[in-house]
Amino acid sequence: MKNGTMTRRDMLVGAAAASAFAIVRPRQSVRADTVPVLRPQSSNVALLGGDEPTTPVWCYNGMVPGPELRLRQGDRLRVDVENRLGQETTVHWHGLRLPNVMDGVPGLTQPPIEPGRTFRYEFALPDAGTFWYHPHVRSSEQQGRGLYGALIVEEPDPPQVDRDVTWVIDDWRLGEDGAISDTFGHPMDLSHAGRLGNVATLNGRDSKSFAVRAGERIRLRLINTANARIFALTFEDHDPVVIALDGQPCTPHAPEGNRVILPPAGRADLILDLVGSPGKRYTVKDDYYARQTYRFLELAYRPETPLRESFDPVTPLAPNPIPEPRLKDAQRHDIVLAGGAMGGMRSAILDGKEMGLREMAGQGKMWAVNGIAAHATVMKPLFVFTRDRTQVLTMRNDTAFPHPMHLHGHSFRLMSRNGKPVAGTPWLDTVLVEPRETVEVAFVADNPGDWLLHCHVLEHMQAGMSAVVRVV
Ligand code: C2O
Ligand code: CU
């Protein structure tokens, strides 16, 4: 699907949904007092719904998304991962500030979990917020086939809402038969925008509509689990208020242009006041890619009278206990992202050897961080950070594509874009860096260990856009 060519499946996504209401499937909740088991396995799910064919997937516990893990701030998460796939896997807990040995990066923080084996993850949850989990082995295919789930850490004193709803958003590349196209690692995806799909889903169903009641106040937790698709959602005649980004509370604000931008792996918590009229439908549109704007879903108002006529102001969430960067004595590092199609990169170092782009491409590598294409997850650290010192990373995107850059084990403040201060300097763990853009992030390197810093377009990561940073 390039340059707006629409297939039948896209039409499905874009088509007016005259059909059924609720598409949020019941989710299994797991609490801290049992040791839940996550089982990566093959299964069949009804992504398309109705009479459409089912889709063979890889997923946790037979469901897409996997079970929503819901715990409280300060709890210990304990999960056994029992690998029922025919290949190695791990689980990475995206966005969590956890001990390095629990980070789920094969080779770097743990040996991969062999088929038939079980690994126990156990760690404390210092931060409340919206997080998620996914494998870190052959990510493009494992996550792309459906291995992911939400991890919600509840605040001791959550905001008053009528419903707390998780929207796990994904896109899939499906054929006419409903099966996932097995073109994982296609050179076109590796070198361009990554693996974009042709069917968008909400909580594992072709997104069509979401039933609401007039006058409700909903907390929407959006999680983008797509390999590569960036979403920009607008809510017709509604004004969502952003209260958290990447799980971390921010000053409640209207998103710029009323568009909620979600890069791969990104999250946003919204307060959505249902100010529409009973019985009416309102479009939620995704217009990130200008030539591929489509209706993501409709808010379908039930006919009941409004629950309330006016809404209280939105109050901020309590901040998480993250150390504040001290810019005065910061260590500073420059990061240059290069490569890909139309990026102008001539060569890079791969496995210790300088190579031309063509030769690199022969080994499936297209991208580099500071001139080095990642060949594995275990590498000489790009930087060594002194523990408890503030780090400022300046990341420049010298390529023709956007890159959502993710740092493991820490959250960072987004300080500036192209030298312009960012309002509120929000905490993030994944920052979208647009082509030719420079962003500056700051954080205290308080979590010892070797951590990945990589692009969360999974095909870019696979093709070299990854590095290791060490905190000692
Ligand atoms: Cu969701 Cu290495 O990341
Ligand atoms: Cu990228």
Side-chain angles (χ1 to χ4, degrees), residues 359-383:
E359 195 186 342
M360 281 172 64
Q363 301 192 31
K365 301 294 175 182
M366 314 271 185
W367 307 89
V369 178
N370 287 7
I372 300 166
H375 58 94
T377 52
V378 187
M379 288 179 294
K380 186 167 166 278
L382 181 64
F383 302 124

Side-chain angles (χ1 to χ4, degrees), residues 92 94-95 105 132 134 136 143 265 406 408 452 454 456 461:
H92 169 61
H94 184 112
V105 180
W132 64 297
H134 62 76
H136 227 295
Q143 188 186 313
H406 171 48
H408 284 212
L452 285 187
H454 66 85
H456 222 289
M461 172 170 69

Side-chain angles (χ1 to χ4, degrees), residues 5 39 59 69 71 93 145 170 185 187 228-229 241 250 312 328 372 401-402 414 470:
T5 319
R39 292 188 189 86
C59 62
L69 306 178
L71 296 97
W93 309 92
R145 287 192 186 275
D170 193 4
R229 179 171 297 276
V241 176
C250 59
D312 293 336
K328 267 201 254 132
I372 300 166
F401 294 90
L414 174 59
R470 175 170 294 167

Side-chain angles (χ1 to χ4, degrees), residues 47-71:
L47 290 183
L48 297 171
D51 299 331
E52 298 282 340
T54 60
T55 302
V57 297
W58 297 350
C59 62
Y60 295 105
N61 302 18
M63 53 209 278
V64 176
E68 179 172 296
L69 306 178
R70 242 188 138 89
L71 296 97

